[in-house]
Amino acid sequence: MASAPHPIVCVALCGLVLALPAGAGAAPPLVSGPACTPEALNASAQLDGAVTVSPMPGAADASPQTQISFLGVPLGALSAVTVTGSQTGAHPGTLEAYSQGDGGSFLPLAPFRPGELVTVSAQLTLAGATQPLQFHFTVADGDSLGSTPEGPHPLAAGIDQQSFISRPDLQPPTVTVHAYSSHAAAGDEFLAPYGPAAQAGPMILDPAGKLVWFHPLPAPLAATNLRVQQLDGSPVLTWWQGIVSTHGFGRGVDVVVGENYRRIAEVRAGNGYQADLHEFQITPQGSALLTAYNPIYCDLAPYGGSTDSAVTDSLFQEIDIKTGLVMFEWTSVDHVAFSASYTPAAAGSTQWPFDFFHLNSINLDPDGTLLVSSRNTWAADDIDPATGQVRWTLGGKNSSFVEGLGAATAFQHDVRPAGPDLYTVFDNGASPPVHAQSRGVVLDVDPDTGSVSVRSQYLHPGRRLLADSQGDMQALPNGDWFVGWGAQPDFSEFSADGRLLFDASLPSGYESYRTLRFRWNATPATRPALVVNAAPGGRGIADVSWNGATGVADWELLEGSSRSSLVRVEVVRREDFETAFTLGPRRAERFVEVRALGGSGAVLGSSATVALRGSGA
């Protein structure tokens, strides 16, 4: 964002002509940013009842790198697409199809200019009838906000990290299990700890809270939102990784790996943005819903702020995973009034933009609509996927429902449909503090009376946890509830009647944006790691692990005088991430190998064969 140049005036003094800035000796001229709100708030993005377009018609927050998305009709139904900028003129480009066959994007060969009006026209032919399509939007002036990572949180001691002989490169945080009931739901715990100046990355724990898999990321990268999803009919593991900025959002990519942990896809935001940490959902159609944050220069004087200010426009995109094209883009500035925010516009500046919305989850409702949660409006908005328009709002200043006792949430996260007219919410209640402690809550919406009430709620029984940010509440298949406490380093499972069935925590200083429970079966593409070290008496210690393997029941130790003569020596039950064997005395060279066995005794994988030299005795 460039500052406006000062006009020059000439002043005569003592026979000299001096060039001085206009207004010298007086207050500097006021700088005014552009208007960034749309011509009509919450306008429809659907044209002629058939084509959903983005940017939204009449929007003023489009990216200079935006593509023009046409969703809802075969690409062959579109023709004569022309795109013209009021400053840059005609924009040639290519029209590329979505892999699902339901539209395509026009990709301009050159970017647009901030502040210019862009006009789009095309011809739509359906059932032999041709009709014109036309709309326009304005390109935003991006705020030059940096990507400074969050500063590291302090740790108490070195014991806060685990260490392994067979995998010295892995140093995940220690997990302390406070409660573990055999009645807890089946499945592993999925989290992505970060915060201290220590290894961060996605992590899987077994039902008892012991490490299954850890994928460390190089600093300053962090990960969030580790979960199991379905892609093309198969289970996949997904997470976000990138920079967690000091401004509370992420800049990175979404990662998809298979059951062998090999990367299948890396999904990026389009239109010049980077994927944000808050959400990544794969749809049944094979597209992806992801969040992004876009700080833009804006005149906030009409809303109680400064003329020379900025607003953080949080948005989501539907991305065609196979092509990377943006199928649809929805922005908060286009659809929700600034006045709905509990954050004042007066606090905004170009260094700390007015974060009026802060989108933190997207979920598909059973009726096909999209449910979006926004922290700073204390609300969830139900969105028509064809028009992009908000249909109703749950919570906040403009709720469509009358809130019963205890039904109001504050700074919430992770609003999800949980059944007919039922919604789960992680109610942070801070920050600043509004409630005494955070909770997971199930809300019951009565469309007939237009009211919402509390069906059930879950608070931590042992500690009064108040999470300033992050957090989730997950409905488990057996009727239990799993709660990740976000900025608090705790995660818990509750029975339907509120009994605490599982409870664990990371060391103080760590946090995990979400913590979830899923069933997951994986056999890594890598082989088990084996390290053998000498021990007193000519013996040795063999340490083995297999990062990410879920099906290992036992470890089988084999020894022999040659690589081709290995025989079974011992079988040890797998009890933890790493298993140790004590080897007998050796007088001659021998070879050692360890195999991973499944529950039926089948060999799942084998380590490399390690040669041991004789003791010399």
Side-chain angles (χ1 to χ4, degrees):
M1 179 179 62
S3 58
H6 294 288
I8 303 298
V9 297
C10 295
V11 178
L13 180 63
C14 299
L16 297 177
V17 178
L18 303 179
L20 298 177
L30 293 175
V31 177
S32 181
C36 62
T37 52
E39 295 172 3
L41 189 68
N42 202 32
S44 175
Q46 191 174 57
L47 302 181
D48 292 339
V51 184
T52 300
V53 299
S54 52
M56 185 189 82
D61 59 348
S63 164
Q65 288 82 41
T66 192
Q67 55 192 261
I68 318 299
S69 303
F70 301 90
L71 179 64
V73 297
L75 190 65
L78 295 167
S79 61
V81 178
T82 61
V83 177
T84 306
S86 60
Q87 301 175 32
T88 54
H91 278 256
T94 59
L95 195 60
E96 299 190 9
Y98 305 140
S99 62
Q100 295 89 344
D102 54 354
S105 288
F106 179 83
L107 306 181
L109 296 180
F112 300 105
R113 187 172 297 170
E116 75 172 326
L117 183 74
V118 177
T119 302
V120 180
S121 62
Q123 296 290 325
L124 173 64
T125 303
L126 293 174
T130 299
Q131 53 190 326
L133 296 178
Q134 189 172 64
F135 67 102
H136 63 268
F137 58 85
T138 300
V139 180
D141 187 353
D143 185 53
S144 55
L145 197 64
S147 297
T148 305
E150 277 188 349
H153 302 174
L155 274 175
I159 59 171
D160 290 327
Q161 284 85 43
Q162 303 178 59
S163 61
F164 308 102
I165 295 171
S166 59
R167 290 297 304 267
D169 57 316
L170 304 181
Q171 298 172 5
T174 301
V175 177
T176 302
V177 177
H178 308 287
Y180 174 44
S181 168
S182 60
H183 298 292
D188 299 325
E189 295 97 38
F190 291 72
L191 60 162
Y194 74 99
Q199 285 187 346
M203 185 164 86
I204 302 174
L205 307 174
D206 71 13
K210 296 179 180 180
L211 183 67
V212 172
W213 179 71
F214 182 58
H215 178 62
L217 298 172
L221 299 184
T224 65
N225 205 24
L226 179 68
R227 64 189 308 140
V228 177
Q229 301 197 65
Q230 293 280 323
L231 178 62
D232 297 331
S234 298
V236 292
L237 193 62
T238 68
W239 69 88
W240 171 89
Q241 65 182 47
I243 298 293
V244 180
S245 79
T246 56
H247 293 85
F249 59 87
R251 286 178 166 167
V253 300
D254 291 298
V255 178
V256 183
V257 301
E259 292 175 292
N260 57 5
Y261 300 98
R262 283 183 172 167
R263 191 164 295 197
I264 295 172
E266 191 173 86
V267 183
R268 298 179 178 273
N271 297 346
Y273 304 133
Q274 295 189 61
D276 165 59
L277 64 89
H278 286 93
E279 190 64 270
F280 178 69
Q281 290 264 359
I282 298 176
T283 71
Q285 294 73 37
S287 61
L289 298 170
L290 58 79
T291 52
Y293 276 56
N294 179 33
I296 56 176
Y297 192 34
C298 188
D299 177 5
L300 293 179
Y303 316 101
S306 167
T307 57
D308 180 27
S309 193
V311 62
T312 299
D313 191 8
S314 49
L315 58 98
F316 73 79
Q317 295 177 337
E318 182 176 7
I319 302 292
D320 182 358
I321 294 177
K322 292 181 179 178
T323 65
L325 296 171
V326 178
M327 302 172 69
F328 180 63
E329 179 177 287
W330 184 96
T331 73
S332 54
V333 166
D334 285 346
H335 293 279
V336 178
F338 289 164
S339 59
S341 183
Y342 286 86
T343 300
S349 67
T350 54
Q351 292 75 36
W352 289 94
F354 173 37
D355 190 5
F356 86 103
F357 197 72
H358 202 88
L359 192 159
N360 58 46
S361 71
I362 316 165
N363 283 285
L364 290 168
D365 235 341
D367 62 1
T369 60
L370 297 167
L371 190 65
V372 167
S373 169
S374 52
R375 180 188 191 275
N376 289 341
T377 65
W378 301 7
D381 295 301
D382 190 71
I383 297 168
D384 184 326
T387 67
Q389 292 173 302
V390 175
R391 299 168 63 242
W392 49 259
T393 299
L394 176 63
K397 297 179 181 179
N398 304 311
S399 182
S400 305
F401 309 95
V402 177
E403 294 171 330
L405 181 65
T409 63
F411 300 111
Q412 86 296 326
H413 284 72
D414 200 41
V415 181
R416 298 179 182 274
D421 300 317
L422 285 179
Y423 299 90
T424 60
V425 184
F426 181 77
D427 181 15
N428 294 76
S431 168
V434 176
H435 301 156
Q437 62 188 107
S438 302
R439 61 178 177 160
V441 60
V442 183
L443 297 178
D444 191 345
V445 173
D446 188 335
D448 294 329
T449 62
S451 63
V452 57
S453 59
V454 174
R455 170 72 65 90
S456 58
Q457 66 176 11
Y458 303 88
L459 299 92
H460 198 285
R463 296 181 298 283
R464 181 170 289 186
L465 301 179
L466 188 62
D468 289 343
S469 65
Q470 309 167 85
D472 65 275
M473 183 178 184
Q474 178 191 16
L476 298 177
N478 71 340
D480 289 352
W481 301 100
F482 201 88
V483 178
W485 298 95
Q488 296 285 349
D490 300 77
F491 43 101
S492 313
E493 181 179 335
F494 298 89
S495 65
D497 59 5
R499 288 176 294 123
L500 185 65
L501 301 177
F502 178 86
D503 189 44
S505 62
L506 299 166
S508 176
Y510 279 97
E511 53 196 285
S512 180
Y513 171 61
R514 288 176 181 159
T515 305
L516 303 161
R517 188 186 290 286
F518 298 101
R519 290 179 180 268
W520 174 243
N521 296 301
T523 302
T526 56
R527 62 195 313 178
L530 173 65
V531 170
V532 180
N533 290 303
R539 296 176 179 270
I541 301 294
D543 291 279
V544 64
S545 63
W546 199 7
N547 190 27
T550 61
V552 180
D554 300 288
W555 289 106
E556 179 187 41
L557 175 68
L558 300 99
E559 292 188 37
S561 58
S562 67
R563 295 179 186 273
S564 60
S565 63
L566 297 175
V567 296
R568 174 188 285 193
V569 173
E570 186 181 5
V571 174
V572 174
R573 190 74 178 169
R574 181 201 178 274
E575 300 288 352
D576 214 328
F577 180 81
E578 186 171 64
T579 300
F581 291 88
T582 300
L583 306 178
R586 63 188 187 278
R587 296 184 180 275
E589 185 177 55
R590 59 179 166 168
F591 296 85
V592 175
E593 183 179 304
V594 176
R595 294 175 180 171
L597 305 180
S600 64
V603 176
L604 304 179
S606 302
S607 72
T609 304
V610 177
L612 300 178
R613 298 188 182 277
S615 64

